[in-house]
Amino acid sequence: MRVGVIISGKGSNLEALLQEAAKPSYPAEISLVIADRPCDGIGIAARYGVPNVEIVPHKDYETPGLFEEELTRLLEEHKIELVVFAGFMRIVHTNFVKHWRNRLINVHPSLLPSFKGLHTHERAIDYGVKYHGCTVHYVNEHLDDGPIVGQSTVRVLDDDTIETLAAKVLEKEHKLLPACVKKIASGKVRIVGHRVI
Ligand code: GRF
């Protein structure tokens, strides 16, 4: 399966995916990486020899719609079958979501449906939850809301800080994301309503 990964930052999830995808038995290849700004993840993509790496600066587009059209154009040009948002820090709109429905996943640093949006680790600590974690889900029209492909948990300890909790969750993301992409690319996943079977 040809996978396109869209990033905005450090790219550690991208790197985890590239490490797994390098194994001969992995059923997906990372054919394209797009960043919406210059960022560290671009260097990672180049280091792993991703064949197509593009920067599409969102600031260069008059509207989010035009920016998203350019993303779709590139993804189509490279015959991408599954789009992965891996630390992509923008919200996408109806046309993009409709076009890529059931072919677009995101990794989010909380156990959805708790703590949608930003600052998830801080909010988890403030709320006092005892378990936190990460979720890989299909993207729908609502923020951090689509059918859940997989989740992974961590304990929240009394002395956890935002930083220690973020590090524990990120480590889980690095295992969860490649595992979920593998399941999808192996054809083992089916969406039934809001559930992923
Ligand atoms: C991850 O925690 C991701 O879930 C969140 O931002 C962080 C980015 O990590 N949206 P990276 O860019 O993959 O290192």
Side-chain angles (χ1 to χ4, degrees), residues 111 115 120-133 153-162 164-166 168-169:
L111 291 174
F115 309 121
T120 57
H121 309 305
E122 185 177 1
R123 287 157 60 209
I125 289 175
D126 287 351
Y127 196 91
V129 294
K130 301 302 182 198
Y131 288 89
H132 184 47
T153 59
V154 302
R155 284 285 308 277
V156 183
L157 305 177
D158 292 345
D159 59 358
D160 263 323
T161 61
I162 298 171
T164 60
L165 191 55
K168 287 194 290 190
V169 172

Side-chain angles (χ1 to χ4, degrees), residues 7-15 41 44 85-89 106-110 118 120-121 134-135 166 169-170 173-174 177:
I7 59 170
S8 297
K10 289 198 314 287
S12 70
N13 277 295
L14 167 68
E15 182 161 21
I44 293 173
F85 287 170
F88 176 49
M89 298 308 284
N106 178 47
V107 55
H108 179 76
S110 80
L118 296 173
T120 57
H121 309 305
C134 51
T135 302
V169 172
L170 196 59
E173 290 180 48
H174 294 163
L177 182 61

